[in-house]
Amino acid sequence: MSTRKNVALVVGAQGVIGGNLIEHLATLEDWEVIGLSRRPATSSRPKVKHISVDLLDPKDCRAKLSELTDVTHVFYAAYQDRPTWAELVPPNLAMLVNVVDAIEPVARRLQHISLMQGYKVYGAHLGPFKTPARESDAGHMPPEFNVDQQSFLEDRQKGKTWTWSAIRPSVVCGFGLGNPMNLAMVMAVYASISKELGLPLRFPGKVGAYDKLLEMTDAGLLAKATVWAATSEAGANQAFNINNGDLFRWNEMWPKIARFFDLEVAPPLTMSLDVVMADKAALWKRMIEKHGLEPLPYESVSSWRFGDFVFSWDYDMFADGSKARRAGFHEYVDTEAMFLRIFGDLRQRRIIP
């Protein structure tokens, strides 16, 4: 690869965050891109090389990454799900350590390591927390793998020429299949199946969640912010909340989503999507044939467990994004427009009717 360009190593290339980051980097003239993921790439892009690697295997990481001597920026967005918060720590910390252990000794021009985090740093997953959350807020009782990952990078960076950044988005929305955290797909498939069954669109979460304030992060906006933090002096060794810049409540947003799908809205009815949608694979297969959709397996189009998690937040869920604005990143996205754009894109791609 050319030593005159920045060379990005995107770890977690098949996820919503990593995939959209690669799409953005591929549009920039002064970047070349290498994507890492456990699954083989499903499509090829100009300027993008893909490597399939088991990030939990240190030997595989060293073998696959040993020749990546021109990498200048590592963008870490890999994630492995586990049943409990404590069980999340070992694999997610180990994957980051294995990548850094493999790439740091060989990447002579390494400038920056970007770490993707989230509001779990603030304890948002545990229950009501201080809002708006700020990057300077006090930590909370572990376990929390995001905190452990950042501590590892901070310790590793001491005395080095490269810098790090920690990017903290809210729920990230964008196109991506087969991912455990993709709320836009959850909503689109749930609405499409509701329509197929002749049902109104009911908010399935906790009743108290319907009127609380929350925010989202557009995947395209997040990609731009991530690259900005990795290439700006103001982003060196800093954490940034990255969000769309507006707040909403589901009780206002839900009818707008329903209108997109030509559905009526009925009162909220608390139910586990993971339970009630478990038997819909046969229906989805019939919908694929009826509407001429892409023949995607039902289990790859939505993560109902993640939907249940997001729709259970019966407390405010938002953070202060002004630190990034003060440092020089000024872009924002209208959340309603974001949802409708993503749904339109899914329809155009024949993922949903």
Side-chain angles (χ1 to χ4, degrees):
M1 288 193 173
S2 170
T3 57
R4 292 172 295 179
K5 290 188 175 183
N6 293 317
V7 180
L9 182 66
V10 179
V11 187
Q14 302 281 2
V16 176
I17 293 173
N20 281 273
L21 177 58
I22 286 176
E23 292 285 352
H24 174 59
L25 287 166
T27 67
L28 305 178
E29 292 184 0
D30 56 341
W31 287 86
E32 294 178 359
V33 187
I34 304 166
L36 296 187
S37 66
R38 185 174 48 183
R39 293 178 292 156
T42 55
S43 61
S44 60
R45 305 180 183 94
K47 294 175 53 179
V48 179
K49 174 184 177 182
H50 187 271
I51 299 174
S52 180
V53 58
D54 181 358
L55 298 178
L56 286 173
D57 185 343
K59 292 182 180 179
D60 196 39
C61 285
R62 288 194 297 269
K64 300 287 180 61
L65 307 186
S66 62
E67 297 181 359
L68 304 183
T69 57
D70 286 337
V71 166
T72 59
H73 295 73
V74 176
F75 296 97
Y76 187 89
Y79 172 78
Q80 283 210 9
D81 199 15
R82 292 293 188 274
T84 68
W85 303 126
E87 289 175 277
L88 282 169
V89 176
N92 284 289
L93 178 59
M95 289 191 297
L96 174 63
V97 172
N98 290 342
V99 169
V100 175
D101 281 350
I103 201 69
E104 188 187 25
V106 301
R108 298 181 297 269
R109 299 192 302 135
L110 184 63
Q111 299 175 29
H112 192 85
I113 299 178
S114 171
L115 174 64
M116 192 60 59
Q117 295 184 319
Y119 292 176
K120 290 185 179 71
V121 170
Y122 306 120
H125 57 305
L126 301 175
F129 64 107
K130 170 189 162 295
T131 54
R134 293 185 173 87
E135 295 87 347
S136 57
D137 286 351
H140 63 83
M141 182 69 70
E144 178 41 51
F145 73 88
N146 288 276
V147 175
D148 291 349
Q149 288 176 328
Q150 182 174 330
S151 295
F152 163 73
L153 278 186
E154 289 179 345
D155 290 341
R156 189 66 169 258
Q157 188 272 336
K158 292 176 181 176
K160 308 293 177 61
T161 57
W162 55 268
T163 57
W164 60 268
S165 60
I167 308 301
R168 300 172 181 174
S170 181
V171 178
V172 180
C173 294
F175 177 74
L177 299 173
N179 298 290
M181 297 186 291
N182 191 343
L183 185 66
M185 282 297 300
V186 170
M187 296 167 66
V189 176
Y190 175 61
S192 298
I193 289 178
S194 295
K195 186 173 184 178
E196 191 72 16
L197 294 174
L199 299 173
L201 189 66
R202 288 184 182 270
F203 180 74
K206 291 183 179 179
V207 174
Y210 203 46
D211 63 356
K212 296 302 183 289
L213 282 171
L214 70 159
E215 63 191 355
M216 298 282 144
T217 302
D218 176 74
L221 176 80
L222 179 60
K224 294 177 181 178
T226 301
V227 175
W228 162 79
T231 55
S232 166
E233 288 186 11
N237 302 329
Q238 295 293 320
F240 295 102
N241 297 327
I242 301 297
N243 43 52
N244 285 353
D246 59 356
L247 301 175
F248 70 95
R249 305 178 197 272
W250 285 122
N251 60 12
E252 182 182 14
M253 186 69 72
W254 206 252
K256 297 174 181 178
I257 293 169
R259 280 199 295 273
F260 178 90
F261 291 95
D262 297 319
L263 289 169
E264 297 295 324
V265 174
L269 179 63
T270 301
M271 53 185 163
S272 168
L273 293 177
D274 198 35
V275 172
V276 301
M277 305 303 286
D279 67 341
K280 302 298 188 291
L283 172 61
W284 183 253
K285 185 176 181 180
R286 293 195 297 271
M287 290 171 63
I288 289 174
E289 297 170 354
K290 175 181 177 181
H291 300 286
L293 306 180
E294 289 292 321
L296 300 170
Y298 181 65
E299 60 271 15
S300 74
V301 296
S302 186
S303 173
W304 303 117
R305 182 184 172 195
F306 182 63
D308 286 338
F309 179 53
V310 173
F311 296 140
S312 73
W313 296 337
D314 53 358
Y315 47 90
D316 291 346
M317 173 72 68
F318 63 96
D320 178 6
S322 65
K323 179 181 176 181
R325 290 193 292 274
R326 292 193 301 271
F329 184 76
H330 300 130
E331 297 199 35
Y332 63 91
V333 168
D334 177 86
T335 298
E336 178 187 345
M338 176 200 73
F339 277 130
L340 301 186
R341 171 175 48 78
I342 293 172
F343 297 150
D345 182 44
L346 293 172
R347 183 169 285 171
Q348 185 176 18
R349 295 173 186 256
R350 306 304 302 162
I351 307 298
I352 61 173

Coordinates of all heavy atoms in Angstrom, one line a residue, residues 133-177:
A133 N -25.5 13.2 30.3 CA -24.2 12.6 30.7 C -23.1 13.4 30.0 O -23.2 13.8 28.8 CB -24.2 11.2 30.3
R134 N -22.0 13.6 30.7 CA -20.8 14.3 30.2 C -19.6 13.5 30.3 O -19.5 12.6 31.2 CB -20.6 15.7 30.9 CG -21.8 16.7 30.6 CD -21.5 18.0 31.3 NE -22.5 19.0 30.9 CZ -23.7 19.2 31.5 NH1 -24.0 18.4 32.6 NH2 -24.6 20.1 31.1
E135 N -18.7 13.7 29.4 CA -17.4 12.9 29.4 C -16.7 13.0 30.7 O -15.9 12.1 31.0 CB -16.5 13.4 28.2 CG -17.1 13.2 26.8 CD -18.0 14.3 26.4 OE1 -18.4 15.2 27.2 OE2 -18.3 14.4 25.2
S136 N -16.9 14.1 31.5 CA -16.2 14.2 32.7 C -16.9 13.6 33.9 O -16.4 13.7 35.1 CB -16.0 15.7 33.0 OG -17.2 16.4 33.0
D137 N -18.0 12.9 33.7 CA -18.8 12.4 34.8 C -18.0 11.3 35.5 O -17.2 10.6 34.9 CB -20.1 11.8 34.3 CG -21.1 12.8 33.9 OD1 -20.9 14.0 34.2 OD2 -22.2 12.5 33.3
A138 N -18.3 11.1 36.8 CA -17.7 10.0 37.6 C -18.0 8.7 37.0 O -19.1 8.5 36.4 CB -18.1 10.2 39.0
G139 N -17.1 7.7 37.2 CA -17.4 6.3 36.8 C -18.3 5.6 37.7 O -18.8 6.2 38.7
H140 N -18.7 4.4 37.3 CA -19.6 3.6 38.1 C -19.0 2.3 38.5 O -17.9 1.9 37.9 CB -20.9 3.4 37.4 CG -20.8 2.7 36.1 ND1 -20.8 1.3 36.1 CD2 -20.8 3.1 34.8 CE1 -20.8 0.9 34.8 NE2 -20.7 1.9 34.1
M141 N -19.6 1.5 39.4 CA -19.2 0.2 39.8 C -19.0 -0.7 38.6 O -20.0 -0.9 37.8 CB -20.1 -0.4 40.8 CG -19.7 -1.7 41.4 SD -18.2 -1.6 42.5 CE -18.9 -0.7 43.9
P142 N -17.9 -1.4 38.4 CA -17.8 -2.4 37.4 C -18.6 -3.6 37.7 O -19.2 -3.7 38.8 CB -16.3 -2.7 37.4 CG -15.8 -2.4 38.8 CD -16.7 -1.2 39.2
P143 N -18.8 -4.5 36.7 CA -18.0 -4.6 35.4 C -18.5 -3.7 34.3 O -19.7 -3.5 34.2 CB -18.2 -6.1 35.1 CG -19.6 -6.4 35.6 CD -19.7 -5.6 36.9
E144 N -17.6 -3.3 33.5 CA -17.9 -2.5 32.3 C -16.8 -2.6 31.3 O -15.7 -1.9 31.6 CB -18.3 -1.0 32.6 CG -18.6 -0.2 31.5 CD -19.4 -0.9 30.4 OE1 -20.5 -1.5 30.8 OE2 -19.0 -0.9 29.3
F145 N -16.9 -3.3 30.2 CA -15.8 -3.5 29.3 C -15.4 -2.3 28.6 O -14.2 -2.1 28.3 CB -16.2 -4.6 28.3 CG -17.1 -4.2 27.2 CD1 -16.7 -3.6 26.0 CD2 -18.5 -4.4 27.4 CE1 -17.6 -3.3 25.0 CE2 -19.4 -4.1 26.4 CZ -18.9 -3.5 25.2
N146 N -16.3 -1.3 28.3 CA -15.9 0.0 27.7 C -14.8 0.7 28.5 O -13.9 1.2 28.0 CB -17.1 0.9 27.5 CG -18.0 0.4 26.4 OD1 -17.8 0.7 25.3 ND2 -19.1 -0.3 26.8
V147 N -15.0 0.7 29.8 CA -14.1 1.4 30.7 C -12.8 0.6 30.8 O -11.7 1.2 30.7 CB -14.7 1.5 32.2 CG1 -13.7 2.0 33.1 CG2 -16.0 2.3 32.2
D148 N -12.8 -0.7 30.8 CA -11.6 -1.5 30.8 C -10.8 -1.3 29.5 O -9.6 -1.2 29.5 CB -11.9 -3.0 31.0 CG -12.4 -3.3 32.4 OD1 -12.3 -2.4 33.3 OD2 -12.9 -4.4 32.6
Q149 N -11.5 -1.2 28.4 CA -10.8 -1.0 27.1 C -10.1 0.4 27.1 O -9.0 0.5 26.6 CB -11.8 -1.1 26.0 CG -12.3 -2.5 25.7 CD -13.4 -2.5 24.6 OE1 -14.2 -1.5 24.5 NE2 -13.5 -3.5 23.8
Q150 N -10.8 1.4 27.6 CA -10.2 2.7 27.6 C -9.0 2.8 28.5 O -7.9 3.3 28.2 CB -11.2 3.8 28.0 CG -10.6 5.2 27.9 CD -11.6 6.3 28.2 OE1 -12.8 6.1 27.8 NE2 -11.2 7.4 28.7
S151 N -9.1 2.1 29.7 CA -8.0 2.1 30.6 C -6.8 1.4 30.0 O -5.6 1.8 30.1 CB -8.4 1.4 31.9 OG -9.4 2.1 32.6
F152 N -7.0 0.3 29.2 CA -5.9 -0.4 28.6 C -5.2 0.5 27.6 O -4.0 0.6 27.5 CB -6.5 -1.6 27.8 CG -5.5 -2.2 26.8 CD1 -4.4 -2.8 27.1 CD2 -5.8 -2.0 25.4 CE1 -3.5 -3.3 26.1 CE2 -5.0 -2.4 24.4 CZ -3.8 -3.1 24.8
L153 N -6.0 1.3 26.7 CA -5.4 2.2 25.8 C -4.7 3.3 26.4 O -3.6 3.7 26.0 CB -6.5 2.7 24.8 CG -7.0 1.9 23.7 CD1 -8.0 2.7 22.8 CD2 -5.8 1.4 22.8
E154 N -5.2 3.9 27.5 CA -4.5 5.0 28.2 C -3.2 4.5 28.7 O -2.2 5.2 28.6 CB -5.4 5.5 29.3 CG -6.6 6.3 28.8 CD -7.5 6.7 30.0 OE1 -7.3 6.2 31.1 OE2 -8.3 7.6 29.8
D155 N -3.1 3.3 29.3 CA -1.9 2.8 29.8 C -0.9 2.4 28.7 O 0.3 2.7 28.8 CB -2.1 1.5 30.7 CG -2.9 1.8 32.0 OD1 -2.8 3.0 32.4 OD2 -3.5 0.9 32.5
R156 N -1.4 1.9 27.6 CA -0.6 1.5 26.5 C 0.0 2.7 25.8 O 1.2 2.6 25.3 CB -1.4 0.6 25.5 CG -0.6 -0.1 24.5 CD 0.4 -1.1 25.0 NE 1.0 -1.9 24.0 CZ 0.6 -3.2 23.7 NH1 -0.4 -3.7 24.4 NH2 1.1 -3.8 22.7
Q157 N -0.7 3.8 25.8 CA -0.2 4.9 25.0 C 0.9 5.7 25.7 O 1.6 6.5 25.0 CB -1.5 5.9 24.8 CG -1.2 7.0 23.8 CD -0.7 8.3 24.5 OE1 -0.9 8.4 25.7 NE2 0.0 9.1 23.8
K158 N 1.0 5.6 27.0 CA 2.0 6.4 27.7 C 3.4 6.2 27.1 O 3.9 5.1 26.9 CB 2.0 6.0 29.2 CG 0.7 6.3 29.9 CD 0.8 5.8 31.4 CE -0.5 6.2 32.1 NZ -0.6 5.6 33.5
G159 N 4.0 7.4 26.8 CA 5.3 7.4 26.2 C 5.4 7.0 24.7 O 6.5 7.0 24.1
K160 N 4.2 6.9 24.1 CA 4.2 6.6 22.6 C 3.9 7.8 21.8 O 3.3 8.8 22.3 CB 3.1 5.5 22.4 CG 3.2 4.3 23.3 CD 4.4 3.5 23.0 CE 4.6 2.3 23.9 NZ 3.4 1.3 23.8
T161 N 4.1 7.7 20.5 CA 3.9 8.9 19.6 C 2.4 8.8 19.1 O 1.9 9.9 18.7 CB 4.8 8.8 18.4 OG1 4.7 7.6 17.7 CG2 6.3 9.0 18.9
W162 N 1.8 7.7 19.1 CA 0.4 7.6 18.7 C -0.6 8.1 19.8 O -0.2 8.1 21.0 CB 0.0 6.2 18.2 CG 0.2 5.1 19.2 CD1 1.3 4.3 19.3 CD2 -0.7 4.6 20.2 NE1 1.1 3.4 20.3 CE2 -0.1 3.5 20.9 CE3 -2.0 5.0 20.6 CZ2 -0.8 2.8 21.9 CZ3 -2.7 4.3 21.6 CH2 -2.0 3.2 22.2
T163 N -1.8 8.5 19.4 CA -2.8 9.0 20.4 C -4.0 8.1 20.3 O -4.1 7.2 19.4 CB -3.1 10.4 20.1 OG1 -3.6 10.5 18.8 CG2 -1.9 11.3 20.3
W164 N -4.9 8.3 21.2 CA -6.2 7.5 21.2 C -7.4 8.5 21.3 O -7.2 9.6 21.6 CB -6.3 6.5 22.3 CG -6.2 7.1 23.7 CD1 -5.1 7.3 24.4 CD2 -7.3 7.7 24.5 NE1 -5.3 8.0 25.6 CE2 -6.7 8.2 25.7 CE3 -8.6 7.8 24.3 CZ2 -7.5 8.8 26.6 CZ3 -9.4 8.4 25.2 CH2 -8.8 8.9 26.4
S165 N -8.5 8.0 20.9 CA -9.8 8.7 21.2 C -10.8 7.7 21.5 O -10.8 6.5 21.1 CB -10.2 9.5 20.0 OG -10.4 8.7 18.8
A166 N -11.8 8.1 22.3 CA -12.9 7.2 22.7 C -14.2 7.9 22.2 O -14.5 9.0 22.6 CB -13.0 7.0 24.2
I167 N -15.0 7.3 21.4 CA -16.2 7.8 20.7 C -17.4 7.2 21.4 O -17.5 6.0 21.4 CB -16.2 7.6 19.2 CG1 -14.9 8.1 18.6 CG2 -17.4 8.3 18.6 CD1 -14.6 9.5 18.8
R168 N -18.3 8.0 21.9 CA -19.4 7.5 22.7 C -20.7 7.9 22.0 O -21.3 9.0 22.3 CB -19.4 8.1 24.1 CG -18.1 7.6 24.8 CD -17.9 8.3 26.2 NE -16.7 7.8 26.8 CZ -16.2 8.3 27.9 NH1 -16.8 9.3 28.6 NH2 -15.1 7.8 28.4
P169 N -21.3 7.1 21.1 CA -22.6 7.4 20.5 C -23.7 6.9 21.4 O -23.5 6.1 22.3 CB -22.5 6.6 19.2 CG -21.7 5.4 19.5 CD -20.6 5.9 20.5
S170 N -24.9 7.4 21.0 CA -26.1 6.8 21.6 C -26.4 5.6 20.7 O -25.6 5.0 20.2 CB -27.2 7.8 21.5 OG -28.4 7.3 22.1
V171 N -27.7 5.2 20.7 CA -28.1 4.0 19.8 C -27.8 4.4 18.4 O -28.2 5.5 17.9 CB -29.6 3.7 19.9 CG1 -30.0 2.6 19.0 CG2 -29.9 3.4 21.4
V172 N -27.0 3.6 17.7 CA -26.5 3.9 16.3 C -27.5 3.3 15.3 O -27.8 2.1 15.4 CB -25.1 3.3 16.1 CG1 -24.7 3.7 14.7 CG2 -24.1 3.9 17.1
C173 N -27.9 4.1 14.4 CA -28.9 3.7 13.4 C -28.3 3.8 12.0 O -27.8 4.9 11.7 CB -30.2 4.5 13.5 SG -31.1 4.2 15.0
G174 N -28.4 2.8 11.2 CA -27.9 2.8 9.8 C -28.1 1.5 9.2 O -28.7 0.6 9.8
F175 N -27.7 1.3 8.0 CA -27.9 0.0 7.3 C -26.9 -1.0 7.7 O -25.7 -0.7 7.8 CB -27.8 0.2 5.8 CG -27.9 -1.1 5.0 CD1 -29.2 -1.7 4.9 CD2 -26.8 -1.7 4.5 CE1 -29.3 -2.9 4.2 CE2 -27.0 -2.9 3.8 CZ -28.2 -3.5 3.7
G176 N -27.3 -2.2 8.0 CA -26.4 -3.2 8.4 C -27.2 -4.5 8.7 O -28.3 -4.4 9.4
L177 N -26.8 -5.6 8.2 CA -27.5 -6.9 8.5 C -26.7 -7.8 9.4 O -25.5 -7.7 9.4 CB -27.8 -7.6 7.1 CG -28.6 -6.8 6.1 CD1 -28.6 -7.5 4.8 CD2 -30.0 -6.6 6.6

